[in-house]
Amino acid sequence: MKQIGLDFFRRDTVTVARELLGKVLVVDGCAVRIMETEAYTADKASHAFTLTQRSEIMYETYGHVYVYFIYGMYFCVNFTTEQEGSPGAVLIRAGEPLQGVAKMKERRGVTRREDVCSGPGKLCQALGIERRHNGLEVGNEVMLFDDGYVVGKMGRSRRIGIRDAKHLLWRFFVKGSEFVSGEKK
DNA sequence: GGTGGGATTAGCT
DNA sequence: GCTAATCCCACCA
């Protein structure tokens, strides 16, 4: 079990998005294996398309947690990428519950394992990720590990829920997994 | 099985 | 004022 540090993120965003598949995300004693990610740089679908107070973290950091609030009810968690001045982040969209499953099911109000974190809003709810986690450096409250798991077949597609820059195939997922978001498996 | 709308607020225009 | 990197439930077939 090797902990992933800052340097992992100081690279091309798409590369980081692909390599995050299969890694283990740990928050508050709960662990999930990342099964679906999306890359965002300064493209038109990204918050970093314009530099604002919210997107500033994507420009100025790498290996930091970027949490944003969406649709008036949900949070989504990202890890910032690329060196300072070059904006980027990887959205964690879905995972397979590994540890603390009972706690996550309770927070989500579900019973089936595939309903725990098969979507970005669900994943944050399951792990208890909220506004207060925004800006934290990876490795403290929010940790990532490489446990040697090897991803079988990787699928890729357009990103979900965006209006612009639809031509980019920047969504990555573990093919055939029941733990990815409903869209395309 | 599939679709349509409502929830609810920050951030931009 | 409007829309958003979403989710869930009611309703129809």
Side-chain angles (χ1 to χ4, degrees), chain A residues 90-136:
Chain A
V90 174
L91 170 66
I92 310 301
R93 283 194 60 90
E96 174 184 357
L98 298 179
Q99 271 179 56
V101 182
K103 191 173 188 175
M104 291 193 285
K105 281 179 177 172
E106 192 185 332
R107 283 201 276 235
R108 287 270 304 123
V110 300
T111 52
R112 287 157 57 204
R113 206 159 149 257
E114 56 269 36
D115 291 334
V116 171
C117 45
S118 50
K122 300 178 191 178
L123 184 130
C124 282
Q125 194 178 23
L127 290 171
I129 294 174
E130 300 173 12
R131 222 182 302 275
R132 66 184 186 84
H133 296 278
N134 187 48
L136 294 177

Side-chain angles (χ1 to χ4, degrees), chain A residues 30-184:
Chain A
C30 297
V32 307
R33 186 178 308 288
I34 296 170
M35 287 296 178
E36 183 180 344
T37 61
E38 282 178 359
Y40 287 89
T41 57
D43 61 278
K44 204 152 181 255
S46 172
H47 294 161
F49 184 68
T50 49
L51 175 56
T52 63
Q53 200 165 36
R54 180 173 69 165
S55 69
E56 192 176 23
I57 188 171
M58 290 177 66
Y59 282 81
E60 296 190 345
T61 70
Y62 54 89
H64 281 60
V65 180
Y66 168 39
V67 177
Y68 64 86
F69 190 58
I70 190 74
Y71 294 112
M73 344 173 68
Y74 300 106
F75 293 101
C76 292
V77 65
N78 303 249
F79 291 99
T80 59
T81 57
E82 317 235 358
Q83 57 193 315
E84 295 96 328
S86 181
V90 174
L91 170 66
I92 310 301
R93 283 194 60 90
E96 174 184 357
L98 298 179
Q99 271 179 56
V101 182
K103 191 173 188 175
M104 291 193 285
K105 281 179 177 172
E106 192 185 332
R107 283 201 276 235
R108 287 270 304 123
V110 300
T111 52
R112 287 157 57 204
R113 206 159 149 257
E114 56 269 36
D115 291 334
V116 171
C117 45
S118 50
K122 300 178 191 178
L123 184 130
C124 282
Q125 194 178 23
L127 290 171
I129 294 174
E130 300 173 12
R131 222 182 302 275
R132 66 184 186 84
H133 296 278
N134 187 48
L136 294 177
E137 188 177 299
V138 70
N140 300 302
E141 262 196 86
V142 180
M143 294 173 283
L144 278 166
F145 293 92
D146 181 352
D147 66 349
Y149 177 89
V150 179
V151 173
K153 202 156 183 186
M154 189 182 73
R156 75 184 293 177
S157 75
R158 292 144 96 117
R159 293 170 291 180
I160 309 288
I162 54 163
R163 190 179 54 186
D164 302 307
K166 287 188 173 169
H167 60 287
L168 297 171
L169 302 178
W170 282 2
R171 170 177 176 248
F172 303 96
F173 56 96
V174 176
K175 210 161 186 168
S177 170
E178 34 187 334
F179 300 104
V180 309
S181 69
E183 306 289 334
K184 240 183 278 180

